[in-house]
Structures are given as structure tokens and as C-alpha cells.
Amino acid sequence: MMEKFSAVEIKADNRISEDDKAFCLRQQEAFDKAGPALQKVAEAMAAAKAEQAGILTADEDFIDRYVGGDCNVDGVYDTMKKRNRTFISTVVNYFSRKYSVELDEREIEEHLIPTGPKEPNLPWGGYRSMSEDEIASYRQELDAYKVEKDKFEQSLRTLPLRYEQIVDEIFVQLGGFSFQERAMNEFLRLCWDTSHHRNWRSDQYEEEFEIKNDVLRLTGSWVYCDENKWMSNPVSEYKPSQSLKTILDALVHYEVGKFKGGAQWFPELFKYDTQENQFEIAHMNKIKSIKLFKNGRVDIKFRSAAFVQEFVEQYLRRNPA
């Protein structure tokens, strides 16, 4: 069960950048050194408890009086085991956040952290439904299970995980793509899903946008307008949808090649609401203005008709497999 983890071949990995490798190596060092350090803590705790038990022989119910209940050897051992998942989670989340890709952390844990022995089942009805021979056989199986479980628990505390194993699993999930390619495919899929709806009558997907010269017109419910008619001096408030924010992220990527940059480039449109409905975009070379309408429509004016055509073809009409 544990044999394949006892000797991990370490290979140079040229698939990740030097910065990424430096991060992984720091995590590797911290993971490696935490195990022996925690083992020393557990041994010191065990020795302290044994010493107290030897002194307080007449007061055995209170052997934790001086060392305290927090002097918990099992708790330290649990921490040693949990650091396996912490190591995997830290590396996976680093790559997921940095490259904006979805990764299945749970699947990687299942592949890299072995499962323990299975406890024998006590028959329905318990000992009362069993013969003496069956009880003896069950207890023998149970004793053998406890021995294997102790060995397994100890092996988890010293599991020789390597960051290269985690990176291998990540690249399996990327399906042969680089981080950048996978991130782009996921982003294009989101853009396509956001800008299309399914017509249940024709069972076809239809675009929720149209092009009018140099304007990309987002049709449908891209923004909600609360006119606050109950107020004495009502002021319309516009609440951008998550779908609109996805398109704004796409505009930023089209402009500068950056993922999830909409909040920085269009801060007013990433708030919960705004009282403005017209935005002049002076700091962008390809997009000129954005206008919100009370009926949910949004017009995005580009600086040329060629730009709007290029944006639509690159971001809204590409449907990656």
C-alpha cells in the first residue's frame, strides 16, 4: 500500500517557471522539516506524561494536573498527518490562483495520500448473533486490523510527499495544455456561456448580443435598474450582473492580456450599484465608452468597427471543447 511512496524519483521539472519552482521548494522544505520537529514535540510530550504518571502513582486520575490537557500526543500526530493535505492544498491553490485555472484538489489528495486498511464489519446483531468460533475469528481479524492501522497511521506521519508529484497531478488535470492555454480555454468557455442562451424551442444556442457598426450591444438582462420610485427624490441605481462583469474582464484581457482585471479597470461597474449609466473610457486604446440602459441592455462602444468585430470573434464566438 505504501511501497510506491517509499522511493520517489526526483526529476528536474522544466514545465514550471523559476518563480514557481522557488515557491514549491520553500513549501517542500517547510513540509519536510515540520515532520521531524513535530515528532520531537510528540516524544517530549509523551516523556512528560510518563514522568508525571510515575510521580503521581496515588493520584493517577490527575496526571495532567501539571503538564495540562493540551499536552496531547495524539493531537501532534494528527497535525503530522494533516500536513500532507496542507502541502497539497498550498501548492494546488498557488497554481490555481496565479494562472486562473480550476483544479480538483480533492482528486490530487486521493491520488497522493493512500487509504488505510478497512476495519472488519461486525455482523448485524453483534456478538449475540455469532457463534464462539465466529467471535474468535472476528476478534482475530480485529486485532490484525489494529496492528495494520497503527502501521498505516505511522506511515502517514512520515509520508515522503514531493512537490513534483503534485505538479505531475496538476499537469494531468490540465489535459496537455500549458497553464496559460488552460486558463484561456476556461475563460473563453465562460465568455461563451455568458453571452449565449439556449432556445428551448429550437434547442439551439442564440447570441445575447449584436453588433451595430462600432458598438457591441449586449441584449437581455445585463444590468438591473432600481428606480427607487418609493423615494421622495428617486435616483436610479444600476446593478451590473455577474455576466456583465465577465464581459468587462474580457475587455481588459482584449486590451492588455490580463485575466480578471475588470475590477481594476472598471471599478464603478464592479460595485454593488452605481448611479451613473454612462462611462467614458479614456484610459483604453480599443474601448471608448460603456452605456447602461434601464431595460437591462448595455452598449459598449469601441474605437473602431474592426475592434468590435475582432473582440466578438476572439471572445464571444469561440467555443472551446
Side-chain angles (χ1 to χ4, degrees):
M1 185 181 303
M2 300 293 299
E3 289 79 3
K4 67 178 180 178
F5 298 93
S6 61
V8 179
E9 182 184 358
I10 307 302
K11 298 178 291 185
D13 198 334
N14 298 319
R15 296 171 296 179
I16 60 178
S17 70
E18 289 302 316
D19 286 345
D20 294 343
K21 190 175 297 184
F23 173 85
C24 290
L25 287 171
R26 288 195 301 273
Q27 300 302 318
Q28 183 75 65
E29 182 180 10
F31 171 81
D32 290 343
K33 290 186 175 180
L38 288 169
Q39 181 63 39
K40 289 180 181 179
V41 172
E43 291 171 358
M45 284 184 171
K49 281 183 173 289
E51 182 180 58
Q52 292 292 305
I55 298 170
L56 302 174
T57 54
D59 305 284
E60 58 184 17
D61 291 339
F62 303 97
I63 61 173
D64 288 336
R65 174 176 290 161
Y66 297 105
V67 295
D70 291 333
C71 189
N72 187 344
V73 177
D74 288 338
V76 177
Y77 284 157
D78 284 341
T79 301
M80 291 177 71
K81 292 183 294 184
K82 288 177 182 176
R83 83 189 211 287
N84 296 322
R85 297 184 186 278
T86 299
F87 185 30
I88 293 172
S89 176
T90 301
V91 175
V92 171
N93 287 333
Y94 167 83
F95 284 104
S96 180
R97 290 194 305 269
K98 180 173 180 179
Y99 294 102
S100 298
V101 295
E102 294 291 331
L103 297 170
D104 190 339
E105 178 183 321
R106 182 66 61 84
E107 181 177 292
I108 294 176
E109 289 178 354
E110 291 175 353
H111 289 173
L112 297 184
I113 301 177
T115 55
K118 186 176 181 180
E119 183 175 358
N121 292 323
L122 185 65
W124 179 259
Y127 290 125
R128 290 178 297 178
S129 65
M130 301 168 65
S131 67
E132 290 185 4
D133 288 343
E134 289 174 331
I135 292 174
S137 177
Y138 170 77
R139 287 177 173 170
Q140 187 176 11
E141 290 180 21
L142 188 61
D143 289 341
Y145 159 76
K146 291 178 179 179
V147 171
E148 289 301 313
K149 184 173 184 295
D150 287 343
K151 291 180 181 178
F152 174 75
E153 294 289 327
Q154 184 175 355
S155 68
L156 278 187
R157 300 198 295 266
T158 57
L159 189 66
L161 277 178
R162 299 293 304 177
Y163 85 84
E164 290 92 342
Q165 296 171 276
I166 306 172
V167 170
D168 284 344
E169 291 286 337
I170 289 173
F171 274 96
V172 168
Q173 291 192 14
L174 293 179
F177 294 104
S178 68
F179 284 109
Q180 292 81 1
E181 290 168 337
R182 178 63 179 267
M184 193 65 201
N185 283 342
E186 289 182 358
F187 185 59
L188 290 176
R189 161 60 66 181
L190 179 61
C191 290
W192 194 92
D193 289 343
T194 294
S195 59
H196 292 74
H197 73 274
R198 189 171 185 175
N199 186 323
W200 297 102
R201 292 183 178 180
S202 64
D203 198 31
Q204 299 292 321
Y205 285 93
E206 299 178 355
E207 297 176 344
E208 290 206 36
F209 61 87
E210 55 189 25
I211 298 173
K212 298 291 184 181
N213 298 318
D214 58 355
V215 175
L216 172 62
R217 178 172 294 173
L218 303 177
T219 57
S221 301
W222 293 85
V223 62
Y224 170 72
C225 180
D226 187 348
E227 299 187 71
N228 296 315
K229 293 181 178 179
W230 53 274
M231 298 175 62
S232 57
N233 296 302
V235 177
S236 297
E237 294 178 331
Y238 295 86
K239 298 176 172 59
S241 67
Q242 187 59 49
S243 295
L244 176 57
K245 293 174 182 177
T246 296
I247 299 300
L248 296 176
D249 280 337
L251 291 175
V252 173
H253 193 275
Y254 177 55
E255 179 82 18
V256 297
K258 179 181 178 181
F259 286 109
K260 297 183 179 180
Q264 288 73 43
W265 287 70
F266 308 105
E268 287 297 316
L269 290 169
F270 272 75
K271 298 194 312 185
Y272 175 71
D273 57 41
T274 177
Q275 294 179 359
E276 303 295 326
N277 76 319
Q278 179 80 34
F279 301 88
E280 296 299 323
I281 315 298
H283 54 286
M284 301 183 85
N285 296 321
K286 298 177 181 178
I287 296 91
K288 186 175 183 180
S289 65
I290 299 176
K291 186 174 183 179
L292 313 179
F293 293 85
K294 291 182 178 181
N295 65 358
R297 194 182 98 199
V298 176
D299 283 1
I300 302 173
K301 186 175 181 64
F302 287 72
R303 296 193 181 275
S304 74
F307 283 147
V308 68
Q309 289 286 349
E310 185 178 52
F311 175 79
V312 167
E313 295 303 323
Q314 287 187 11
Y315 291 89
L316 305 188
R317 286 178 175 158
R318 288 176 63 184
N319 184 9

